[in-house]
């Protein structure tokens, strides 16, 4: 607020890579009063940041494992940070992003995700769109939801993959159930709740 009082506190995932020291980038979907107001911030506006908090990082993934990012909607944000850092660090692990949205218009950071995929031969992306037409793109895309078949098709070996997921609770519940049914140990499935 202009008088210096706090209007509201909210937690968001950082999109910028950890190695970036000159700015912090947050990603959010403009939905309710808070995000509508946040979207009007301009250069010079004062905001207070706290954190970061949480342990949703790649640090726990063994170097010989691949990593599968399962993102639903704006749940893409923590993975942007991770993939951006993998490009900077020239990380040789194999990364797969399965990114589910209701419509093509809901795909956040679409052009950058394609660019990151081009910049890192170890990073593959598959877009899932529930309704409507698929995006016109030079990437893999599927109509429908992420399924056990598509998880296996795009993520490869269940036994040598860590699964990180972020998205709406029903999406994450369905992904976790599927992975557990395929014998993925619970400790290799990590979730970022929002």
């Amino acid at each position: 607020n202009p008088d210096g009082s706090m209007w509201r506190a909210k937690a968001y995932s950082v999109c910028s890579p950890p190695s970036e020291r000159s700015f912090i980038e947050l990603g959010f979907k403009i939905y309710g009063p808070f995000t509508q107001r946040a979207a009007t911030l301009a250069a010079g506006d004062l905001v207070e940041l706290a954190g970061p908090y949480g342990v949703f990082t790649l640090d726990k993934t063994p170097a010989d494992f691949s990593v599968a990012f399962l993102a639903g909607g704006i749940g893409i944000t923590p993975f942007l940070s991770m993939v951006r850092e993998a490009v900077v660090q020239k990380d040789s692990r194999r990364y797969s992003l399965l990114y589910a949205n209701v419509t093509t218009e809901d795909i956040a950071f679409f052009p950058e995700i394609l660019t990151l995929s081009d910049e890192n031969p170890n990073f593959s992306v598959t877009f899932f769109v529930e309704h409507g037409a698929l995006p016109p793109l030079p990437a893999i895309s599927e109509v429908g939801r992420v399924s056990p078949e598509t998880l296996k098709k795009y993520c490869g070996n269940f036994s040598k993959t860590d699964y990180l997921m972020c998205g709406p609770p029903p999406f994450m519940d369905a992904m976790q159930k599927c992975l557990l049914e395929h014998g993925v140990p619970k400790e290799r499935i990590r979730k970022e709740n929002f």
Side-chain angles (χ1 to χ4, degrees), residues 82-186:
M82 294 175 193
V83 172
R84 287 170 171 172
E85 187 69 9
V87 169
V88 169
Q89 299 298 330
K90 297 181 180 16
D91 190 332
S92 62
R93 283 181 282 199
R94 183 175 171 266
Y95 294 90
S96 301
L97 168 64
L98 278 62
Y99 186 17
N101 284 279
V102 176
T103 67
T104 302
E105 293 78 25
D106 296 326
I107 300 173
F109 301 98
F110 179 71
E112 183 178 359
I113 292 169
L114 293 178
T115 300
L116 287 167
S117 169
D118 290 342
E119 291 175 356
N120 186 343
N122 295 324
F123 174 55
S124 64
V125 59
T126 307
F127 295 96
F128 290 80
V129 178
E130 254 184 84
H131 304 294
L134 290 171
L137 46 74
I140 300 169
S141 53
E142 299 261 352
V143 174
R145 295 180 175 200
V146 180
S147 67
E149 294 75 31
T150 54
L151 270 173
K152 188 166 189 169
K153 178 178 177 181
Y154 296 115
C155 296
N157 187 347
F158 282 116
S159 66
K160 293 288 275 185
T161 303
D162 265 7
Y163 296 87
L164 283 73
M165 61 181 79
C166 184
F171 169 80
M172 292 198 299
D173 291 346
M175 294 298 93
Q176 181 170 347
K177 181 180 180 205
C178 170
L179 293 169
L180 292 172
E181 286 173 355
H182 280 82
V184 176
K186 198 170 189 166

Side-chain angles (χ1 to χ4, degrees), residues 17-41:
S19 58
E20 178 56 63
R21 301 290 185 209
S22 60
F23 65 88
I24 295 173
E25 181 180 357
L26 304 175
F28 55 87
K29 182 177 181 178
I30 300 171
Y31 183 70
F34 182 85
T35 53
Q36 288 173 0
R37 187 166 176 182
T40 66
L41 290 171

Side-chain angles (χ1 to χ4, degrees), residues 41-60:
L41 290 171
D45 289 347
L46 294 175
V47 296
E48 182 179 336
L49 298 177
Y53 302 105
V55 292
F56 195 65
T57 66
L58 287 174
D59 298 349
K60 297 178 181 177

